[in-house]
Amino acid sequence: MKAVQISVRRLVEFVLRGGSIDSRMTSSDRALEGTKIHQLLQKSAGEEYQAEVSLKLDRTVDGVVFSLDGRADGIINEQTIDEIKTTETVMEEITEDFRPLHWAQLICYGFMLAEKSDLSEVTLQLTYYQVADEEIKQFKRVMSRGEMGVFVDDLLSKYAVWAKMSAAWEMKRNKTIQELAFPYDSYRRGQRELSIAVYRTAVSGENLFCEAPTGIGKTMSTLFPAVKAMGEGKTDKIFYFTAKTITRQVAEDALDEMRRKGLAARSVTITAKDKICFLDERKCEPDHCQFARGYYDRLNEALFDMLGQEEAITRTVVEQYARKYTLCPFELSLDVALFCDAIVCDYNYLFDPVVYLKRFFSEGPGKYTFLVDEVHNLVDRARSMFSATLRKSLVMQVKRQLDKKLHKRLWNAVNAMNKVMVSLNKVLIESGETIHVSKADLAEWNESVLKFTFVAKEWLPQNTQSEAQADVLELYFESLRYVKIAELYDERYTTQITRTHSDLEIKQLCLDPAFLLSEKLKLGASSVLFSATLRPIDYYTNVLGGEEDTSRMVFSSPFEQQNMHLLVADNISTKYQMRNQSLASVVEALAALIAGKKGNYLFFFPSFQYLQNVYELFREKYPEIVVQKQEGAMDEEQREAFLEAFKAGNPETLVGFCVLGGVFSEGIDLRGERLIGAAIVGVGLAQLNPESDLIKDYYNETIGQGFDYAYQLPGMNKVLQAVGRVIRGESDRGVVLLIDERFSASRYRALFPAHWNHAKIVKNTEEITEQVTEFWRNN
């Protein structure tokens, strides 16, 4: 078997971890808490201190060749190794045996140094830095090379069982991949070309942006070639990232289809913690949750069982084993992912700077292939993930619950945050502003938030019964995110302070996520970012972290153009200031569209308010038509009920009123007679708002295309996605009506895909009725 590469940190944590999950002990990553402190301590240690020293060790144990690597915080005089740990725990509680895993890590580094420099013994120095009080405590041990070697060999021997199991699985997997043929009898139009492009991207270690319209079979076209590249050793893991549960199901189905053709590959689907938690009230603390209590004591037995029995580790499978071994299902899905070939999950597990998969991405790039589906959604998601907000109301809520004398340190930290907010609020009141924008960060405010996180982390596990516990925990996590985003803050950010009658909100707003996304993509060896609508592709390449020389491909629709009859009613204006005047005209146009054939239709609107206005007038004028509308906050059950009504063979016409960019305008699959038509009212522009205007100003300054990037292009993508609901299969037929005078303007016509070039202009309801009647007569 080939050499097993593993980091010191992962080895120690996997073999020696034990005890419980406790969210109150959750730390931000080392970059958040420790880097600056590490650098400060390393700098003050003198010239004899070598900082951040990379160490490697090749060692054969139980027939397995291990390549162990890590980075020591410091080496002093070439014979003392230093490991720095930042902590919020009070100094009195930090003893020599405070964290055995810290010593284990240090002993590994010590042995690696002894082997490298041929030392008979090494001094091990464990340095704790208490961040709240800025105190230092050090412990030292001297260990012989032999003692350390025995310790390291014991760790490697315990891990060798897992290494051998993984190696045997990899041999089996690769053999089946080499024998695996494309799982369908033939390729659809464009599917072979897309598969070849993805394969070349994975093999060459490059990035690809791709528009692959509905019907090409983009899920199989990306997963199959990525699996093939894995079989040739070009990638170790495939990550399939998406924004929606339904798309994750499609990825699972594609993997299952390949398994039916002989593939042996383990995959896991990671479900959000809130959705998969077994408890009614999610509280990840051992005193509250039996699935968190003693989690690490039972984990490895569960993993061994699961990996021996399962290949498709879906949500149901995760829940089954989690209940069997009394384990947190969310954490179990993350832990089993280390042994899986494909990981299907949400965007945030790569891109979010706080909740990303640290076990894969915190130690630098890996030999991974990233497949990012429905990537048009990533633009807004990325801005959200790279932004952070804190509210004065939450700060005050925490402060009011704290006893100033009993919880003095925490009260002081919260009060310091509140004082800064009070002074900022005063400035806004005096200037008469409700929104203040600053390109610079708020240094004093950021410092107060950082100090709060240190004190809160110490307070939380010591005050489990406090009534303030839940609110302090909420503020703690929101503050951790805020501090993390503050580390990323640069010229692509702005700070927005918003004052309302009852609150003050401070937001670090990411205007341009491209650079941050590109850095995340570098954590893999190759990436394919694709969507059914990625138009214009240069825009998406720019805002999603591509470079000028990044490969990009646009495929045409595999469906016959005449299957969709596309009409443009450019005699109606739906601009915001014209909506009341054109309301009756819109309703008449919609009625004309559905008059041609009884069936199911969807109408899409740029806002809930506009939807409501048209809905009310439509019901008044056409009470015989069965209608239903999307509500502002629909849970999963309500969404499913909405879609369930769209049955093939409904006795009466059914119309669903929906919002552009909402849950029903993309990702849903109503094939055949379940949906025969759609109308899109307006060009999808968001209402003018301060944040979009800031984005517009930023892109005006940087590339001179502010309105395009902030409003027009995101809006038009919503239109393209909504139209894409109508034709889902080769036998589908349907009508689409675009209502707005702007759809005839050149700047919008330039964004029409090639298979829309047969669009017909209609100037009144009579022409709409004539066109749809003629289409259905011939179809």
Side-chain angles (χ1 to χ4, degrees):
M1 60 184 280
K2 67 180 183 181
V4 175
Q5 287 191 305
I6 188 168
S7 70
V8 167
R9 185 174 179 178
R10 184 173 293 180
L11 173 67
V12 167
E13 288 182 353
F14 185 84
V15 174
L16 298 180
R17 62 189 169 182
S20 305
I21 298 168
D22 193 340
S23 64
R24 297 162 305 179
M25 299 302 292
T26 299
S27 175
S28 45
D29 57 62
R30 174 169 157 168
L32 174 59
E33 294 184 81
T35 301
K36 291 178 182 177
I37 293 169
H38 278 61
Q39 291 170 349
L40 184 68
L41 295 179
Q42 288 162 344
K43 203 170 185 180
S44 64
E47 295 179 4
E48 295 170 342
Y49 193 102
Q50 291 176 267
E52 303 295 328
V53 181
S54 295
L55 295 169
K56 292 185 181 294
L57 174 71
D58 292 328
R59 191 83 168 170
T60 301
V61 177
D62 294 351
V64 179
V65 178
F66 287 97
S67 181
L68 192 62
D69 62 75
R71 179 172 292 181
D73 289 326
I75 295 175
I76 308 165
N77 290 326
E78 299 183 3
Q79 56 188 10
T80 296
I81 199 150
D82 186 35
E83 180 70 10
I84 302 170
K85 298 295 182 184
T86 53
T87 180
E88 289 83 17
T89 305
V90 292
M91 273 301 181
E92 293 75 35
E93 295 181 19
I94 298 175
T95 62
E96 186 170 352
D97 297 320
F98 173 61
R99 290 279 187 272
L101 263 65
H102 294 168
W103 280 114
Q105 201 172 333
L106 189 49
I107 292 168
C108 289
Y109 290 142
F111 182 61
M112 294 162 84
L113 176 63
E115 288 284 291
K116 175 187 175 185
S117 303
D118 194 21
L119 303 175
S120 60
E121 63 179 28
V122 171
T123 300
L124 309 176
Q125 178 174 290
L126 189 52
T127 301
Y128 286 103
Y129 181 90
Q130 213 285 343
V131 290
D133 297 329
E134 299 182 356
E135 295 180 21
I136 295 173
K137 185 179 278 190
Q138 290 182 327
F139 302 98
K140 290 186 180 182
R141 292 180 187 173
V142 177
M143 288 187 72
S144 70
R145 184 170 172 180
E147 288 176 306
M148 292 186 292
V150 169
F151 182 86
V152 171
D153 285 351
D154 182 58
L155 288 178
L156 293 173
S157 178
K158 288 172 179 172
Y159 191 78
V161 177
W162 299 88
K164 289 176 181 177
M165 180 183 69
S166 296
W169 173 259
E170 187 176 328
M171 286 181 63
K172 176 183 178 180
R173 181 200 71 194
N174 288 349
K175 185 175 184 299
T176 66
I177 291 175
Q178 287 155 15
E179 297 169 354
L180 181 68
F182 189 69
Y184 303 122
D185 294 336
S186 62
Y187 286 93
R188 298 178 185 176
R189 189 164 69 190
Q191 192 169 30
R192 183 180 180 84
E193 292 77 8
L194 175 55
S195 296
I196 291 170
V198 172
Y199 173 78
R200 287 175 177 166
T201 300
V203 168
S204 61
E206 295 179 348
N207 295 337
L208 170 67
F209 282 77
C210 182
E211 181 179 83
T214 300
I216 279 183
K218 55 187 169 59
T219 308
M220 186 64 79
S221 304
T222 52
L223 274 170
F224 174 73
V227 166
K228 278 293 189 181
M230 175 182 280
E232 296 174 7
K234 302 299 183 183
T235 185
D236 291 339
K237 284 188 190 298
I238 299 165
F239 288 84
Y240 195 97
F241 298 107
T242 180
K244 291 183 171 63
T245 303
I246 190 168
T247 325
R248 291 195 277 280
Q249 177 66 57
V250 174
E252 290 176 353
D253 292 345
L255 288 163
D256 283 341
E257 186 64 36
M258 286 187 273
R259 289 189 185 99
R260 283 190 282 273
K261 299 296 182 180
L263 173 67
R266 291 196 190 110
S267 64
V268 61
T269 302
I270 298 175
T271 306
K273 186 183 289 188
D274 285 333
K275 287 186 177 180
I276 203 171
C277 180
F278 291 146
L279 304 185
D280 294 331
E281 179 194 0
R282 181 167 69 79
K283 201 171 181 183
C284 306
E285 299 167 12
D287 295 339
H288 180 82
C289 176
Q290 61 176 321
F291 303 100
R293 188 164 54 249
Y295 173 87
Y296 294 108
D297 300 328
R298 301 182 296 275
L299 172 62
N300 285 1
E301 183 185 359
L303 288 177
F304 207 83
D305 185 10
M306 184 186 287
L307 295 171
Q309 302 294 326
E310 310 292 343
E311 287 188 31
I313 303 174
T314 60
R315 173 178 177 171
T316 303
V317 172
V318 169
E319 289 176 337
Q320 174 191 334
Y321 282 86
R323 290 194 184 279
K324 179 179 178 181
Y325 288 94
T326 318
L327 296 171
C328 168
F330 177 71
E331 291 294 332
L332 179 59
S333 68
L334 299 185
D335 284 313
V336 78
L338 288 168
F339 298 93
C340 289
D341 308 303
I343 298 164
V344 182
C345 58
D346 189 88
Y347 297 149
N348 61 357
Y349 294 111
L350 171 63
F351 297 108
D352 192 298
V354 175
V355 300
Y356 69 97
L357 293 172
K358 295 176 179 61
R359 63 202 71 205
F360 292 108
F361 306 133
S362 65
E363 295 179 359
K367 210 158 113 182
Y368 309 135
T369 293
F370 297 151
L371 304 178
V372 191
D373 194 3
E374 301 294 351
V375 75
H376 65 277
N377 286 305
L378 186 56
V379 181
D380 287 340
R381 280 288 300 277
R383 286 201 179 98
S384 175
M385 287 187 287
F386 292 122
S387 297
T389 303
L390 281 170
R391 295 169 290 113
K392 189 176 187 296
S393 55
L394 180 56
V395 174
M396 283 303 299
Q397 195 169 316
V398 171
K399 182 182 173 184
R400 279 193 292 266
Q401 293 183 71
L402 295 174
D403 186 304
K404 184 176 180 179
K405 293 180 180 178
L406 191 60
H407 308 294
K408 183 179 178 182
R409 291 185 70 210
L410 185 61
W411 190 92
N412 285 339
V414 175
N415 190 50
M417 292 173 70
N418 186 56
K419 277 186 175 180
V420 179
M421 287 185 135
V422 168
S423 64
L424 291 171
N425 193 46
K426 186 179 178 183
V427 171
L428 263 67
I429 291 171
E430 289 175 351
S431 63
E433 294 179 305
T434 55
I435 296 177
H436 177 76
V437 176
S438 170
K439 288 299 291 180
D441 61 358
L442 302 177
E444 184 184 3
W445 164 247
N446 291 355
E447 185 66 26
S448 72
V449 177
L450 179 62
K451 285 186 176 177
F452 164 76
T453 64
F454 292 152
V455 178
K457 188 175 180 185
E458 176 191 338
W459 183 91
L460 283 162
Q462 297 172 1
N463 294 271
T464 56
Q465 302 306 312
S466 170
E467 292 182 2
Q469 171 83 201
D471 288 330
V472 173
L473 193 61
E474 181 183 353
L475 182 58
Y476 172 63
F477 282 126
E478 290 194 15
S479 297
L480 283 181
R481 169 171 286 279
Y482 196 93
V483 172
K484 183 59 187 175
I485 298 303
E487 287 192 334
L488 304 174
Y489 200 100
D490 60 12
E491 69 277 5
R492 291 170 279 260
Y493 275 85
T494 191
T495 301
Q496 182 174 288
I497 308 168
T498 305
R499 176 176 64 87
T500 63
H501 70 282
S502 60
D503 210 349
L504 183 81
E505 180 182 282
I506 302 176
K507 181 171 187 175
Q508 296 175 114
L509 173 64
C510 178
L511 302 170
D512 178 7
F515 170 75
L516 296 169
L517 290 172
S518 69
E519 290 299 296
K520 291 292 187 177
L521 290 174
K522 288 175 185 174
L523 293 171
S526 60
S527 61
V528 181
L529 297 89
F530 56 100
S531 175
T533 58
L534 217 58
R535 183 170 300 265
I537 200 163
D538 288 347
Y539 158 73
Y540 284 100
T541 306
N542 289 342
V543 297
L544 293 173
E547 307 289 343
E548 281 192 22
D549 60 349
T550 299
S551 298
R552 54 204 84 180
M553 300 182 74
V554 176
F555 290 88
S556 58
S557 172
F559 301 135
E560 295 299 327
Q561 189 180 54
Q562 61 266 28
N563 290 0
M564 183 180 79
H565 196 46
L566 181 64
L567 305 175
V568 179
D570 67 352
N571 61 312
I572 301 172
S573 174
T574 70
K575 290 178 179 177
Y576 186 74
Q577 60 271 29
M578 295 292 292
R579 286 179 185 174
N580 286 337
Q581 292 173 244
S582 63
L583 202 59
S585 299
V586 168
V587 167
E588 293 306 315
L590 294 173
L593 176 70
I594 65 176
K597 183 179 179 180
K598 186 182 294 182
N600 302 326
Y601 297 82
L602 286 173
F603 297 163
F604 294 97
F605 301 85
S607 72
F608 278 103
Q609 183 59 58
Y610 193 18
L611 178 158
Q612 184 66 29
N613 293 343
V614 177
Y615 174 81
E616 289 173 359
L617 184 58
F618 188 92
R619 286 195 67 186
E620 180 186 323
K621 297 198 74 171
Y622 301 98
E624 73 279 8
I625 303 295
V626 181
V627 295
Q628 60 179 20
K629 66 184 173 76
Q630 178 182 351
E631 301 295 343
M634 299 175 76
D635 59 28
E636 204 163 324
E637 192 175 320
Q638 290 171 317
R639 293 198 295 268
E640 287 177 5
F642 184 96
L643 293 174
E644 183 62 28
F646 286 81
K647 292 183 172 70
N650 272 343
E652 301 293 336
T653 289
L654 169 67
V655 175
F657 284 70
C658 304
V659 171
L660 272 174
V663 291
F664 302 120
S665 70
E666 56 180 277
I668 63 166
D669 203 22
L670 301 173
R671 290 177 177 260
E673 294 292 312
R674 292 191 68 193
L675 183 69
I676 64 167
I680 289 80
V681 183
V683 292
L685 295 183
Q687 210 170 323
L688 294 175
N689 62 84
E691 287 194 7
S692 293
D693 280 347
L694 288 171
I695 294 168
K696 180 187 74 173
D697 293 343
Y698 170 83
Y699 283 111
N700 269 337
E701 291 171 15
T702 53
I703 59 173
Q705 291 181 266
F707 180 78
D708 296 356
Y709 274 45
Y711 288 104
Q712 185 192 2
L713 299 179
M716 190 59 187
N717 191 278
K718 294 175 187 176
V719 173
L720 293 166
Q721 281 288 324
V723 171
R725 298 314 96 208
V726 178
I727 305 296
R728 307 299 298 172
E730 292 178 13
S731 61
D732 286 4
R733 303 289 185 274
V735 292
V736 173
L737 176 64
L738 306 179
I739 302 177
D740 195 287
E741 62 185 7
R742 288 167 288 187
F743 282 121
S744 282
S746 58
R747 67 183 299 157
Y748 280 96
R749 279 299 176 121
L751 301 175
F752 280 22
H755 60 279
W756 285 18
N757 61 14
H758 67 312
K760 284 189 165 54
I761 304 294
V762 285
K763 295 294 185 183
N764 51 55
T765 55
E766 290 76 16
E767 289 186 15
I768 296 172
T769 302
E770 181 184 317
Q771 287 289 331
V772 295
T773 301
E774 178 69 17
F775 175 77
W776 290 121
R777 185 183 300 124
N778 296 325
N779 287 276

